[in-house]
Amino acid sequence: MNEILNMNINEMANISFDCSCGKTHHLDIRKIVMGSNVISELPSILEDFKRKKIYILSDNNTWKAAGEKVYHTLKGNHFDVSSTMIERDENILIPDEKAVGEMFMGLPADTGMIISVGSGTLNDMAKYMSSRAKIPYTIVCTAPSMDGYASSGAPLMNGGRKISYTATLPYAIIGDTDIMKNAPMKMILAGYGDIIGKLTALADWKLSHEITGEYYCETIVKLVQKAINKVVDTRFDLAKRDEDAIFYLIEALILTGVAMGLIGVSRPASGAEHMLSHYWEMAVIATGKNPELHGIKVGIATPIITKIFDKMKDTLPESVFKMAPSAKYTTQLLRDVNAPINPQEAGIDNDLFYRSILEGNTVRKRYSILDYAVKHGNIEKIADEITRNYYMDI
């Protein structure tokens, strides 16, 4: 059981172990390959699919970043490869009905392996396709921007709402640090924000365990905390695109996905901070605008959620309050890397912000500090105080 806490990320594929929580954890990901120039290893990683059709999915940005190299690496090794590149004038690809339709329409008959080249959106789209078409998929990561590489959920837009569909885990995860260290700095900061959000996600999980009796695993918590600590300890090197700092960031993002895969739920990675992010995103998309990157919004939401923990400290179980970070600490972690802190930087006006605190708990059926504040009758007062804190002119 304790061996997993000392493993490197490349050793965790296909792992299975009996845990002190009473469950047997298993990760159904065949291969995890991270490091410098690992795209060149694709022919050997996908050797079992050499006589099958390979379908590569990318957008115009990720094709330039890595898709073209993936295509020619496999083509040059005699793989049967086809490709769909989804072009968008905007910088952000929205995983809506149109994009998902384009993806499916380009899928050749008798495809044996889907390769998605990208980060959050393209990974979500590919895992959805994989689960519905019953074709395995491999993700080639292009940015350390989010934690969904190793998770089975696929958040997609449908009818203007963000819905998390049950999908599947990838056959393989390929994380080439030579590619990811050159990702736009905003995407690196998004990944960092997503990792800082795990601090409140873990506290929410502990809160639900104490209040509702929800299943909780100390081993998984320790695994995620160890990954967070590596990122925090090397945060000042991210601006230099230091390879070790980038490696620890993508390792942490994949590890939190591994943690979700091991227990079958997203508790180790997603709490009230994600609920605020999803609430904001749906509202912004409804106006026809592009939302801010997921991890940037999660980072902004994390100190907000810690403020709610702070305000509820007198009634919280002691074990939960000890686990929850302070607003001061989480704010400083964001300041240290020049990541956005104010919700206004993500296009969130004061009315949307206020409503998100009041109604954020409705985004998912998952107990969190938001539900706790609602139950104790404090949510209106808290929403008013925190909104005034961020929007001084109202």
Side-chain angles (χ1 to χ4, degrees):
M1 176 192 67
N2 289 325
E3 289 180 6
I4 192 171
L5 299 177
N6 298 314
M7 286 181 176
N8 69 53
I9 188 65
N10 292 347
E11 297 173 320
M12 292 186 183
N14 237 15
I15 190 173
S16 182
F17 65 96
D18 295 325
C19 185
S20 59
C21 73
K23 292 190 175 186
T24 297
H25 298 312
H26 176 69
L27 182 68
D28 194 21
I29 297 176
R30 295 288 298 277
K31 299 177 182 182
I32 301 175
V33 184
M34 282 183 54
S36 175
N37 195 34
V38 293
I39 284 181
S40 65
E41 299 175 29
L42 271 174
S44 60
I45 293 168
L46 299 178
E47 179 66 29
D48 291 345
F49 298 88
K50 191 159 189 178
R51 291 183 175 84
K52 299 181 180 181
K53 292 181 180 178
I54 307 291
Y55 176 53
I56 300 175
L57 178 68
S58 67
D59 65 21
N60 37 310
N61 293 315
T62 64
W63 174 258
K64 294 174 186 174
E68 189 172 12
K69 184 175 182 180
V70 169
Y71 180 88
H72 289 295
T73 297
L74 292 174
K75 199 79 171 173
N77 283 272
H78 311 294
F79 281 78
D80 184 356
V81 187
S82 63
S83 172
T84 286
M85 181 181 71
I86 300 176
E87 295 196 55
R88 290 291 183 272
D89 292 333
E90 304 90 352
N91 290 326
I92 296 177
L93 173 65
I94 304 296
D96 56 14
E97 298 91 334
K98 184 176 186 293
V100 172
E102 288 182 54
M103 171 181 69
F104 270 97
M105 290 181 73
L107 179 69
D110 303 322
T111 294
M113 169 62 72
I114 300 163
I115 301 179
S116 183
V117 182
S119 55
T121 296
L122 285 158
N123 182 55
D124 292 334
M125 290 169 60
K127 72 175 70 168
Y128 179 80
M129 170 184 271
S130 174
S131 67
R132 294 336 188 243
K134 307 300 180 188
I135 302 169
Y137 91 99
T138 290
I139 177 67
V140 176
C141 316
T142 55
S145 56
M146 55 92 225
D147 63 4
Y149 290 120
S151 74
S152 60
L156 304 174
M157 295 299 298
N158 190 341
R161 286 189 60 81
K162 191 160 194 177
I163 300 173
S164 187
Y165 292 93
T166 300
T168 189
L169 294 172
Y171 171 85
I173 300 174
I174 314 301
D176 194 320
T177 52
D178 294 333
I179 300 295
M180 290 185 291
K181 71 181 181 182
N182 292 317
M185 184 52 62
K186 193 172 188 179
M187 298 191 80
I188 294 172
L189 294 179
Y192 179 81
D194 211 352
I195 289 300
I196 299 308
K198 310 312 171 205
L199 294 168
T200 46
L202 294 177
D204 265 334
W205 192 15
K206 183 70 171 178
L207 174 65
S208 183
H209 174 66
E210 296 286 357
I211 301 300
T212 73
E214 182 181 350
Y215 163 74
Y216 183 82
C217 179
E218 289 283 359
T219 301
I220 296 299
V221 170
K222 289 177 182 176
L223 183 68
V224 175
Q225 287 175 328
K226 184 177 180 180
I228 295 170
N229 290 340
K230 285 184 182 180
V231 173
V232 169
D233 289 346
T234 56
R235 64 191 183 278
F236 294 106
D237 294 325
L238 288 173
K240 308 171 193 171
R241 300 180 183 273
D242 176 81
E243 192 155 328
D244 285 342
I246 296 295
F247 180 90
Y248 291 141
L249 179 56
I250 188 61
E251 179 185 54
L253 291 164
I254 293 176
L255 265 174
T256 52
V258 165
M260 290 187 270
L262 287 170
I263 62 171
V265 295
S266 59
R267 267 298 188 184
S270 173
E273 74 297 323
H274 273 66
M275 296 179 196
L276 290 188
S277 174
H278 289 318
Y279 191 100
W280 297 339
E281 182 166 352
M282 288 187 292
V284 170
I285 289 176
T287 67
K289 298 177 182 177
N290 281 331
E292 183 53 271
L293 291 173
H294 167 76
I296 296 290
K297 296 195 300 292
V298 169
I300 291 170
T302 300
I304 296 164
I305 296 302
T306 56
K307 289 176 191 292
I308 300 177
F309 273 102
D310 287 348
K311 290 179 182 296
M312 300 301 297
K313 63 181 179 182
D314 292 338
T315 63
L316 284 172
E318 185 179 358
S319 62
V320 176
F321 185 67
K322 284 183 177 179
M323 193 170 191
S326 69
K328 181 179 180 181
Y329 175 65
T330 52
T331 300
Q332 190 59 51
L333 288 178
L334 294 170
R335 282 202 178 109
D336 286 344
V337 299
N338 293 317
I341 295 171
N342 197 303
Q344 292 165 304
E345 296 178 76
I348 312 303
D349 64 33
N350 62 308
D351 179 62
L352 174 56
F353 182 86
Y354 179 76
R355 285 188 288 111
S356 71
I357 297 177
L358 287 182
E359 302 171 2
N361 68 312
T362 66
V363 171
R364 287 183 180 174
K365 291 182 179 179
R366 172 172 294 170
Y367 194 87
S368 74
I369 190 63
L370 293 170
D371 295 285
Y372 188 82
V374 169
K375 179 183 176 183
H376 284 75
N378 293 8
I379 194 67
E380 290 86 359
K381 180 182 178 183
I382 287 172
D384 184 67
E385 290 176 353
I386 296 179
T387 303
R388 289 183 181 278
N389 180 252
Y390 280 98
Y391 300 85
M392 300 298 291
D393 58 338
I394 65 170

